[in-house]
Amino acid sequence: MTNDTAATRLAIVNVDITGLWTTPDSPRPIDAPLVADRPDHQEWLTAMDRTTLEDGRLGLYDRFDSELLEGEPVIVASGDTDGWTRVTSPWQPYDGSDTGYPGYIRTAHLTPVEDASLDALPDSGLAPTTETFLAEARTHIGLPYLWGGISPKGLDCSGLVHLSLRRLGIVFPRDGGDQYRACADVPIDQAQPGDLYFFAQPGKEIHHVGIVTGPGRILHSPSTGQDVVEEEMPAQRLQTLTKVGRIRQLQ
């Protein structure tokens, strides 16, 4: 993806971590540390963990779609409205958009720029191999699940995959369904370490993704209230295992 349209407005994220919200009205009072002009991501997590799961991390469902990290470029879809800007994120490919994952971000967390690399991550210096992917993913074991999280402070299931590949310089989709569509389909009984397990209820969309680490073993961020873990495939997961995908960019 390149900036071929002169009228395209670009910006980069100027804070460590910020949220990509469904609407400007999505944040709750407890989310104030993250939507402040100078956000405090850790204080936000701490505030949510002082209360119940329902009022804290579980309450992010249908409000909080993803995160944006410092230096990440965005395409400005609409101008500032009451301190909010609608953007799309090219580094987070999204099937419903030609320009990346959409959402609302605090305007104060953006710096307008004339040009930005929309289709290439900074050189990580790491070879994009199955071994480096697994090694990177394992550094996050023990990290608490965070709906919409794509940073080393909190990850959801697809965020674990996305961040681990981003660290290798690979632009990869944000959500599980899009991640499957970006992979080569592999028969379940031919899964290899570094492939991705995908889970769905019959007739439903993919709702979970994990990384294959061995026969019947999975590295994943299970759900709110749990931590990133590498384990034998739980029985309830095995019942909904529906597909395996092989990441095309890994050597």
Side-chain angles (χ1 to χ4, degrees):
M1 184 184 303
T2 57
N3 180 23
D4 296 326
T5 304
T8 299
R9 290 183 296 163
L10 305 175
I12 60 171
V13 176
N14 61 23
V15 296
D16 289 346
I17 309 169
T18 186
L20 195 64
W21 300 86
T22 305
T23 73
D25 296 326
S26 294
R28 309 155 296 173
I30 202 170
D31 302 317
L34 191 63
V35 298
D37 286 354
R38 294 185 177 181
D40 188 330
H41 192 278
Q42 186 57 55
E43 175 54 34
W44 176 57
L45 296 179
T46 300
M48 288 195 293
D49 291 340
R50 288 192 191 111
T51 186
T52 63
L53 279 180
E54 289 73 16
D55 292 334
R57 296 190 184 219
L58 273 176
L60 291 171
Y61 294 177
D62 297 325
R63 296 176 180 270
F64 191 74
D65 291 330
S66 190
E67 293 180 319
L68 299 167
L69 308 183
E70 186 172 18
E72 186 165 349
V74 297
I75 297 172
V76 176
S78 65
D80 177 85
T81 302
D82 296 328
W84 290 90
T85 297
R86 180 168 172 78
V87 303
T88 57
S89 174
W91 286 0
Q92 299 184 41
Y94 177 69
D95 189 52
S97 169
D98 292 335
T99 57
Y101 214 94
Y104 288 86
I105 182 176
R106 292 294 296 171
T107 304
H109 300 174
L110 294 173
T111 298
V113 294
E114 294 296 322
D115 194 17
S117 176
L118 302 183
D119 54 4
L121 288 158
D123 185 3
S124 67
L126 295 171
T129 67
T130 296
E131 291 73 20
T132 56
F133 173 51
L134 290 173
E136 176 58 38
R138 285 180 171 127
T139 67
H140 305 296
I141 290 174
L143 189 69
Y145 181 100
L146 175 66
W147 175 267
I150 66 161
S151 87
K153 293 187 176 181
L155 295 165
D156 61 16
C157 63
S158 55
L160 172 64
V161 174
H162 174 87
L163 178 62
S164 299
L165 291 172
R166 181 187 285 213
R167 289 282 182 84
L168 303 181
I170 295 174
V171 175
F172 200 68
R174 168 68 183 86
D175 286 349
D178 293 331
Q179 291 179 349
Y180 170 70
R181 288 183 282 274
C183 289
D185 186 73
V186 175
I188 291 175
D189 62 359
Q190 295 180 27
Q192 298 178 3
D195 290 343
L196 301 179
Y197 283 132
F198 294 95
F199 303 83
Q201 297 290 343
K204 301 293 185 180
E205 293 293 319
I206 289 168
H207 66 261
H208 188 65
V209 58
I211 302 166
V212 181
T213 60
R217 289 188 62 79
I218 183 172
L219 171 57
H220 63 149
S221 186
S223 63
T224 301
Q226 297 181 283
D227 298 340
V228 175
V229 65
E230 181 176 356
E231 61 183 353
E232 294 295 321
M233 179 84 72
Q236 71 272 23
R237 293 292 183 195
L238 189 59
Q239 293 171 3
T240 57
L241 175 61
T242 182
K243 296 179 184 297
V244 169
R246 185 156 295 158
I247 300 166
R248 302 175 192 272
Q249 297 95 323
L250 292 180
Q251 299 169 10

